[in-house]
């Protein structure tokens, strides 16, 4: 009978908890809240899904050549251009050079993608596999047909072959990709390190970028994916800082939308326009236009020039990478200045002795604790709500709730009511730290984004402090968590 009574009591508590959890509004009035919750939660995966469809399926599903520059030796360049234009409009840009040596030099000097020497039984084609295996294959196929129409057998010479471990010519793309995405993810992870200030986070990004650059170069070199040239480490380091510092600098300006902006810049737009997986001459015009400006494409161009073309034309892409680093540093400095200005303004407002307003409705809201589930007319709507329970899900009354800014300045203190619930109003529109603490339990802390008009809920589950057993180190280890 005692067990039945206990079960009945637990069922009653669960029923009351469910009733408290259910919104007071009806289905019609709760629909806008549901829509807002879904929109704020699912916008990033929806954005990523649409981005992959547009930025990957569109340029990669059917690569076709666009304005591939070919140096043709001899006076027949004009006739060849007309024939290719009729077959594939806009695919090739033909320019005439003096002889076979000039056609070859145009390719090795990066003035043309290919060189063609027509005439005779053995017309020659100069290609550079370093510019991309797909482009090399396309050129061989096209000019083999041209040679066969004139009764010749095409002879192909690769004047810039890739390293022995890079059979498909895409090794540089995967090397650059391996340093791009972790640089962005590092920023995402460091945002959780609330104990680190801005300076420590920047130093961490710099040190991490240097380590990744050395390890990536050594790994690729050990696999024979790239030739040996230690200057590549500096170029890779510039990319890591271009992505990491710019991403970190964007955080204060885009806040909760930062993941979408950074992923859009450095993944969705950078990868298709990089010319690494698919040569840039074979993607749509929008991505070809982005190629000279995005970090991934510029690092690939710099490494191609360094490894395979005797450092030809590496100055411009290196300068573009440096420009991205400068932009990132400027964004970080601007964000710091904006934050300091806001803090000074807030302190000045707190210190100023303002006269009381005749109409309290016009006073600016200040951070304050409010009674949970209180709906007084004219009262402040809670910005932050939540509940604190023990390890069994039972409410914990009297738990201290402290809200601090990102720099540790205390904004307000509250305590949970008899149902373990708390509420706060008037919080500023930025990230705050919420700390739940009780003398006999392990404290828990979470970082939340407070937004006026969009209440946020943060629940905590506090576990008991570890029991101390004499002579047994580490006995009774436990922890605290939030949900």
């Amino acid at each position: 009978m005692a067990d039945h009574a206990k079960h009945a009591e637990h069922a009653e508590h669960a029923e009351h908890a469910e009733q408290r959890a259910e919104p007071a509004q009806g289905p019609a009035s709760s629909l806008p809240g549901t829509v807002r919750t879904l929109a704020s939660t699912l916008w990033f995966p929806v954005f990523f899904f649409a981005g992959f469809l547009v930025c990957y399926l569109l340029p990669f599903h059917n690569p076709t050549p666009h304005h591939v520059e070919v140096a043709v030796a001899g006076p027949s360049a004009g006739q060849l251009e007309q024939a290719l234009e009729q077959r594939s409009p806009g695919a090739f840009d033909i320019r005439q050079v003096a002889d076979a040596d000039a056609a070859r030099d145009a390719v090795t000097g990066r003035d043309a993608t290919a060189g063609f020497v027509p005439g005779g039984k053995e017309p020659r084609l100069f290609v550079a596999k370093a510019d991309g295996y797909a482009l090399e294959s396309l050129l061989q196929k096209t000019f083999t047909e041209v040679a066969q129409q004139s009764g010749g057998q095409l002879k192909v010479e690769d004047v810039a072959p890739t390293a022995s471990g890079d059979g498909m010519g895409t090794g540089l793309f995967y090397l650059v990709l391996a340093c791009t995405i972790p640089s962005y993810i590092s920023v995402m992870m460091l945002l959780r390190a609330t104990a680190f200030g801005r300076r420590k986070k920047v130093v961490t990004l710099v040190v991490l970028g240097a380590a990744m650059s050395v390890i990536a170069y050594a790994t690729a070199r050990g696999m024979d994916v790239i030739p040996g040239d230690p200057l590549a480490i500096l170029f890779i380091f510039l990319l890591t800082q271009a992505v990491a510092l710019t991403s970190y600098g964007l955080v204060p300006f885009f806040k909760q939308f930062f993941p979408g902006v950074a992923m859009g810049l450095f993944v969705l737009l950078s990868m298709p326009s990089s010319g690494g997986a698919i040569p840039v001459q074979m993607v749509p015009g929008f991505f070809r236009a982005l190629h000279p400006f995005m970090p991934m494409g510029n690092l690939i161009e710099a490494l191609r020039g360094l490894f395979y073309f005797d450092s030809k034309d590496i100055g411009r892409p290196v300068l573009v990478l440096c420009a991205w680093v400068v932009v990132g540093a400027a964004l970080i400095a601007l964000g710091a200045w904006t934050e300091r200005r806001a803090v000074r303004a807030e302190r000045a407002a707190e210190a100023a002795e303002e006269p009381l307003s005749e109409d309290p409705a016009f006073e600016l809201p200040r951070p304050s604790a409010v009674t949970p589930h209180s709906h007084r007319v004219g009262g402040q709507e809670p910005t932050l709500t939540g509940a604190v329970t023990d390890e069994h899900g039972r409410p914990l009354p009297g738990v201290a709730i402290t809200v601090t800014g990102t720099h540790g300045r205390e904004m307000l203190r509250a305590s949970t009511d008899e149902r373990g619930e708390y509420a706060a109003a008037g919080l500023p529109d930025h990230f705050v730290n919420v700390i739940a603490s009780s003398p006999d339990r392990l404290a828990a802390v979470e970082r939340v984004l407070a937004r006026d008009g969009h209440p946020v809920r943060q629940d905590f589950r506090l576990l008991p402090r570890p029991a101390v057993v004499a002579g047994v180190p580490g006995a009774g280890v436990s922890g605290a968590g939030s949900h």
Side-chain angles (χ1 to χ4, degrees):
M1 293 297 292
D3 290 339
H4 285 296
K6 288 182 180 179
H7 284 303
E9 182 180 357
H10 285 312
E12 184 179 357
H13 281 303
E15 182 179 356
H16 288 317
E18 290 179 359
Q19 290 174 356
R20 290 196 303 269
E22 291 178 355
Q25 297 88 349
S29 59
S30 66
L31 181 60
T34 302
V35 172
R36 284 196 300 268
T37 300
L38 291 175
S40 62
T41 304
L42 299 180
W43 73 268
F44 184 58
V46 170
F47 167 78
F48 211 42
F49 169 73
F52 263 99
L53 285 180
V54 175
C55 297
Y56 286 78
L57 188 60
L58 175 63
F60 292 163
H61 79 285
N62 184 30
T64 55
H66 302 276
H67 302 288
V68 179
E69 296 183 358
V70 181
V72 178
S76 61
Q79 298 177 357
L80 178 61
E81 182 175 15
Q82 292 178 0
L84 291 176
E85 184 67 21
Q86 291 179 355
R87 180 190 304 178
S88 303
F92 300 95
D93 291 340
I94 305 297
R95 66 183 183 89
Q96 182 178 339
V97 294
D99 51 26
D101 290 337
R104 190 182 194 279
D105 292 341
V107 180
T108 57
R110 309 192 79 179
D111 295 323
T113 305
F116 181 62
V117 184
K121 293 185 178 181
E122 282 193 351
R124 283 182 288 171
L125 177 68
F126 301 106
V127 296
K129 187 178 179 181
D131 283 332
Y133 176 77
L135 190 57
E136 179 196 23
S137 300
L138 170 74
L139 289 166
Q140 287 193 37
K141 178 181 178 181
T142 300
F143 286 92
T144 295
E145 295 175 358
V146 171
Q148 289 174 349
Q149 289 177 358
S150 60
Q153 183 68 35
L154 184 67
K155 181 180 179 181
V156 180
E157 181 181 346
D158 188 356
V159 298
T162 56
S164 60
D166 187 14
M168 296 298 295
T170 55
L172 287 182
F173 172 72
Y174 293 109
L175 169 64
V176 174
L177 184 64
C179 296
T180 299
I181 295 181
S183 298
Y184 156 74
I185 294 177
S186 300
V187 176
M188 292 288 294
M189 295 290 90
L190 280 175
L191 292 179
R192 299 173 176 265
T194 55
F196 272 27
R198 182 179 289 102
R199 183 174 302 176
K200 283 187 177 181
K201 290 178 180 178
V202 171
V203 170
T204 301
L205 293 173
V206 172
V207 173
L208 184 62
M212 285 195 302
S213 304
V214 174
I215 295 172
Y217 172 81
T219 303
R221 184 72 188 97
M223 298 169 63
D224 286 328
V225 174
I226 57 174
D229 194 327
L231 186 58
I233 298 175
L234 174 60
F235 295 171
I236 298 172
F237 174 72
L238 288 176
L239 171 85
T240 64
Q241 299 312 290
V243 174
L245 297 184
T246 303
S247 296
Y248 185 50
L250 291 172
V251 172
F253 302 100
F254 291 94
K255 298 180 181 178
Q256 71 269 25
F257 299 107
F258 154 73
V261 175
M263 288 290 283
L265 273 176
F266 301 122
V267 177
L268 296 180
L269 294 179
S270 284
M271 289 173 61
S273 65
S274 67
I278 299 295
V280 69
Q281 298 92 334
M282 301 179 70
V283 297
F286 172 73
F287 297 101
R288 294 200 308 275
L290 289 178
H291 178 73
F293 306 103
M294 304 306 288
M296 283 187 66
N298 280 279
L299 177 58
I300 289 175
E301 292 296 335
L303 293 179
R304 278 175 176 163
L306 178 68
F307 290 144
Y308 303 116
F309 296 97
D310 295 327
S311 298
K312 179 71 175 179
D313 293 337
I314 66 173
R316 194 202 64 81
V318 171
L319 287 177
V320 173
L321 289 173
C322 292
W324 275 96
V325 175
V326 171
V327 168
L331 286 173
I332 294 172
L334 180 61
W337 176 80
T338 304
E339 184 175 333
R340 287 195 297 267
R341 184 181 179 186
V343 170
R344 285 196 299 267
E346 185 177 352
R347 289 176 179 174
E350 291 177 353
E353 295 182 0
E354 299 180 354
L356 292 175
S357 173
E358 295 181 0
D359 186 353
F362 291 113
E363 293 182 358
L364 293 176
R366 292 176 178 268
S368 59
V370 296
T371 304
H373 303 290
S374 175
H375 297 284
R376 294 176 300 158
V377 177
Q380 286 184 269
E381 290 294 330
T383 308
L384 171 68
T385 60
V388 183
T389 57
D390 62 10
E391 64 275 18
H392 302 296
R394 294 188 292 261
L396 289 175
V399 174
I401 303 295
T402 306
V403 180
T404 68
T406 55
H407 294 283
R409 188 175 67 85
E410 182 177 311
M411 294 183 176
L412 65 90
R413 292 180 67 86
S415 59
T416 56
D417 60 12
E418 67 277 1
R419 295 189 292 185
E421 299 181 351
Y422 70 93
L427 296 177
D429 285 352
H430 56 67
F431 285 99
V432 296
N433 298 320
V434 185
I435 306 165
S437 58
S438 180
D440 57 343
R441 295 185 176 272
L442 294 174
V445 59
E446 283 293 330
R447 192 178 190 217
V448 301
L449 177 62
R451 297 172 60 200
D452 187 28
H454 299 277
V456 61
R457 182 177 182 86
Q458 180 59 57
D459 296 337
F460 293 94
R461 177 170 293 177
L462 301 188
L463 306 183
R465 291 186 178 275
V468 178
V469 180
V472 182
V477 176
S478 182
S482 62
H483 55 89

